[in-house]
Amino acid sequence: MTAEAVAIETVRRRRSAFRFAAAPLTWIGAALIALIIVAALLAPWIAPYDPLEQSIADRLMPPSAEHLLGTDSFGRDVLSRLIHAARISLAVGVLSIALAMVAGCAIGITAGWIGGWFDSLVMGALDVLMSFPSLLLGLMVVAMLGPSLEHLVLAIAITELAPFARVARAPTLALKERDFIEAGRALGLSELRIIVVHVVPNLLGDVVVVASLWLATAIRTEASLSFIGLGVKPPTPTWGGMLREGFETILDAPWLSVAPSLAILATVLALNMIGDGLRDAVDPRLRRD
Amino acid sequence: MTEPVLAIRNLAVEFRSRDGWLPAVRGIDLDLAPNETLALVGESGSGKSLTALAIMGLVPGPAGRIAAGSSIRFEGEELVGASEKALDAVRGNRIAMIFQEPMTALNPTMTVGAQIAEAIRVHRGLGRDAAWRESERLLDLVKVPSRRRRMHDYPHQFSGGMRQRVMIAIALACRPRVLLADEPTTALDVTIQAQVLGLLEDLKREHGLAVLFITHNLGVVALIADRVAVMYAGEIVESGRVEAIFAAPKHPYTLGLLGSTLRIDRDIEALQPIPGSVPAPGALGRGCAFAPRCPRAVSRCETEPPPLEAVAPGRLVRCWMPA
Amino acid sequence: MLGFLLRRIALAIPTLLAVMTAVFVLARVVPGDPAQVILGDQATAEALAALRQRLGVDRPLPAQYVDFLSGILRGDLGTSMVTGKSVWAEVLAVLPYTIELTLAAILLGILFGVPLGVLAATRHNRLPDALTRVLSLAGLSFPAFVSAVLLLLVFAIELRWFPVISNPRSGDLLERLQHLALPALNLGLIMTAYITRVTRSSVLGVLGEDYIRTARAKGIGRRAVLWRHALRNALIPVATVIGLYLGTMIGNSVLTEIVFNRPGLGKLILGALNQRDYTLLQGLMVIFAGFIVLANVATDLAYGLIDPRVRAR
Amino acid sequence: MSDEILIVDGVSKSFPAGGGWLRQRRVVQAVDNVSFSVVRGNSFGLVGESGCGKSTLARCLLRLIRPDRGRVMFEGTDIVQLGRRALRRARRRLQIVFQDPYASLSPRRTVFQTLAEPLVVHGIARGAALRPRVQAALAEVGLPAEVAERYPHEFSGGQRQRIGIARALMLEPALIVADEPVSALDVSVQAQILRLLEGLRNRRGLSFVFVSHDLAVVRHFCDQVAVMYLGRIVELGPTRKVLEQPLHPYTRMLRLASPVPDPAARFKLPRIEGEIPSALAPPSGCPFHPRCPDAMPVCAAVRPRTVEPEAGRRVECHLYG
């Protein structure tokens, strides 16, 4: 049989799920997050005041031309604090997710690949971890180790280990049974090579989706812990901490509660929008071919 | 020929894509008489399953639709454009359908008895007990052993062959005139396939059913069909009595299919495969859809689509250069 | 079904044991001497030793572990180091309020979430779908304390429809409901968002199944197919989500109780943390863990009721 | 004695099934004491219905699944006993082609990466030397060189199957185990792939173990055939003889149930003859006796021995002693 006898039909490239018309929410979310990231990076230059500078004379001022979002009970500029707090939230979120992702995936892939009783043991342990309310778990860890940035990152990473392990394990189990893995064995590839070259690339898509969705949760958890008083120590500004302080004067100065609320909400919502869009693009069940 | 129960004229089914509506079934004419088995033969993507779904009014919308100008008349009643209510009165009642995958076609959380009884209660207005007794009778009819117990079982407790029998029982629940069978034995082992085909044959004779049997397997066609219609790229390219088609295929595609089919009872010296593969719906040229793969193609085939023409009584071929 | 039930309960035992062990280890990792923490720097050595003995922390770890487990088996979770009352008494004092809040939230979630999800799925890619999608995404982006603060600001402080402080101990049923309304709404909205999303994707998935096509081919109308065939199968993942969400809900109820200044398990655990009441903390964690494991068993049983295939396994 | 490239001797494999904690552990005997041999340059067919153990047996031959018992002598060495390095070396001569062309190619790797990988791993070629070898393999399976940079999802089923075959050819094997290589394909494409495999056998002198459920395909492609039922070989012999004068009642039943594309050869369809039993609970005695039209009292009690009613043919049935 000659080569030209086999007509190679060009399969139309998959319709891009990333076009704006196909996924407007994803793009709105991405724009919002980009804005927040830029603000956080440029905080020292764009914030109108020093976020830590107190001024008793100016305390609890409602929003005005001078202080766009008003001042808090120490007379500090709320907008400046809000911009600086973005740095903490994003840093804690990204660091803890990166930690949880690397450790979780390693655990999940290993458990799935080895299988058998080892898999049951590891996943059982993770089930126990997962059945604990993540906020309580974070609370316990921080309460024991003492509140600090590193401990916060560690605590949140531990609460989000299990989802990553699960999301890495499920496709590993499925891929293990696929013919191309067996073909790799038959061709004499080493187990390590099969995992790195043939398994990992096929589950990265799922992991990225989970990462973007759980980044939202991480930022929410950070804010919650700060709100309870177990976050980064004052006077460093964090959104959760600002809301906690604002809540104490909610009857006199409601704007102190509204501003950080909206900042947290916007960030988490934007990340969820991106994660949702990514999932639609990656999940073959939802994709229409 | 007796009056057809089902008369299809110029049936076209389209699917939405980025470049507009693409045709998947392109103007089909079919007549189905009572007591007759018509085999609709084709490879994947030929549009044969969609044809059956179109008859049932079940083309998956909103991405798919039956094109304007299509007509499906069942006992004189036009089904294209009929209301959902009118279609529901026909579906499962006077036209029934069975599907390829017996593993997924039954509801996993409903007992088999309840799934059979459901259609009886909806269409025949029987009460709960009467419908249940009737369902038991149907399970008997399709020869499911120890039916009293099995009525209360769930689909996952049945083997593939038994599930297909249950599907047939559901289809026959309301004594339909027409049975659409979409590759009903493809997923089964050969010995089980033979059993199910035998059962269908009996039931067809007893009930005077008209059967539209969709398959890609020419062996099964030779076994059960009275007439054959061969589909390629959404069109019928050849039709006629089963003996005539197998004895002297006229269309090069039919010829190629037969040349590609192996036989258990005979040695075949050299396989004659059809080169290339089935074209995508959007990638059809101006001329005959089969021309790019056709060994007999001449220049006219590339530019002018051939019509479906009678070459003998009851024998239609769509080709400029028939064998 | 009975066999399935017994098997499932038997399977929960090792999980419970593992959780209890984890709690024991976690509670022992707390840095510092609990007696010192309670009595402060000024305490005498004798007082410290006496308290250590009373708490049982002077004994070797394995013995403590056995004490701990046998205590749980007898239903004895110890006494609070701060108030001196038994852990059970502390818990039972506030448990009704937490149960009240949680049940109300779940009820709200199912009541609104399931119909909204079904609506979105049946109007796939049309306006109701897009709207529910955006709203539910917003709903599950709300940290519980943010939504609580906003609800408080709008409905209690600005509009004055509901009391600012939720005091469930007060007066007649109507008043109680009024006090429950905002906290329950806060948890319930988040729950609704979750359930809506899961119901939507689950119904969408089920509607694409072959057996739905079979049912349509039987001549069953669209609506009847949805209720009789699709919903039952679609509810399987929904049941799981409600089970999984219980853990998150406990966390959210802590935040809600803080904002509305409402008594409950959440406030109790926060107080125990702040005061380093480590026996109360340990007891609370045992109760939470047991509750969550039981909830998981209940979820699996719900599964078995809905899906005959699970029963057979 | 002819030159036998593969001798399979008493291979068995069982799997634990269901069971687990608090449940009775059960065992499925997927492959039960199977022996056969393949002559160099020949094709050996393994046929049977779903659950008969033919795919498990195919994987045992490459030790993708390690058999519980028995020997797999490939070119004189026992595959079952080889160490890791020796097994790697042996597998260069022993390759596999899979049924599902959609699952057998790594979706994130280009055709070039897929085909070049075995060469690199075995240190046969690297760098610039890879491309001509990949192109030669593509040409051999009838694909143009420019497909090398494409990903699997851009190809039809038949084209993917060609790529799968090319991958198996990269290490220049002597024997290819083909597990239902044409079952997932359309009729016209099936014929293309069979033609391709025939060409390879003739040109390269390849030997095949060809697993299939389709007797017509086996008749066309295989010199010898073994019919499997519930993990055992119930009949074995030259393909044409086995299909034209089947000895075992099961072979006869298979043969009769297989449709022939000829209305003149229409046969009376069987009405009812029972289900394939579950491998979890195989019947006593001869596993086929509940469905067997010729069953005798002895069949339910005693498992039949293997007999050779004529030279080169084997059957496991009480009808023949």
Side-chain angles (χ1 to χ4, degrees), chain D residues 61-142:
Chain D
L61 302 183
L62 286 94
R63 216 176 98 187
L64 290 172
I65 297 172
R66 196 186 178 122
D68 300 332
R69 258 173 289 124
R71 295 187 304 154
V72 178
M73 304 294 295
F74 173 67
E75 296 191 318
T77 50
D78 186 358
I79 296 284
V80 181
Q81 300 302 334
L82 287 182
R84 187 186 293 242
R85 285 171 156 273
L87 180 64
R88 261 188 68 171
R89 216 169 315 117
R91 279 179 177 164
R92 289 172 56 169
R93 310 268 302 151
L94 184 59
Q95 281 298 312
I96 182 163
V97 173
F98 296 95
Q99 169 177 10
D100 182 359
Y102 292 86
S104 63
L105 299 175
S106 195
R108 307 278 162 125
R109 310 270 290 165
T110 63
V111 172
F112 178 80
Q113 286 173 321
T114 294
L115 296 186
E117 186 173 34
L119 297 177
V120 175
V121 167
H122 284 274
I124 295 169
R126 48 195 272 212
L130 290 172
R131 193 152 299 270
R133 281 179 179 258
V134 167
Q135 285 174 354
L138 285 174
E140 188 161 12
V141 297

Side-chain angles (χ1 to χ4, degrees), chain C residues 171-216:
Chain C
D172 56 22
L173 187 68
L174 193 71
E175 211 173 319
R176 262 184 95 143
L177 279 178
Q178 221 180 6
H179 280 276
L180 179 64
L182 277 187
L185 197 63
N186 184 43
L187 283 184
L189 283 180
I190 301 175
M191 189 92 201
T192 304
Y194 272 88
I195 293 184
T196 304
R197 280 173 67 84
V198 181
T199 308
R200 172 184 175 271
S201 70
S202 168
V203 170
L204 266 183
V206 168
L207 286 179
E209 295 282 347
D210 285 355
Y211 58 81
I212 296 300
R213 195 180 53 185
T214 305
R216 297 281 289 144

Side-chain angles (χ1 to χ4, degrees), chain C residues 296-307:
Chain C
N296 286 346
V297 173
T299 311
D300 280 5
L301 292 184
Y303 244 65
L305 279 179
I306 301 174
D307 191 343

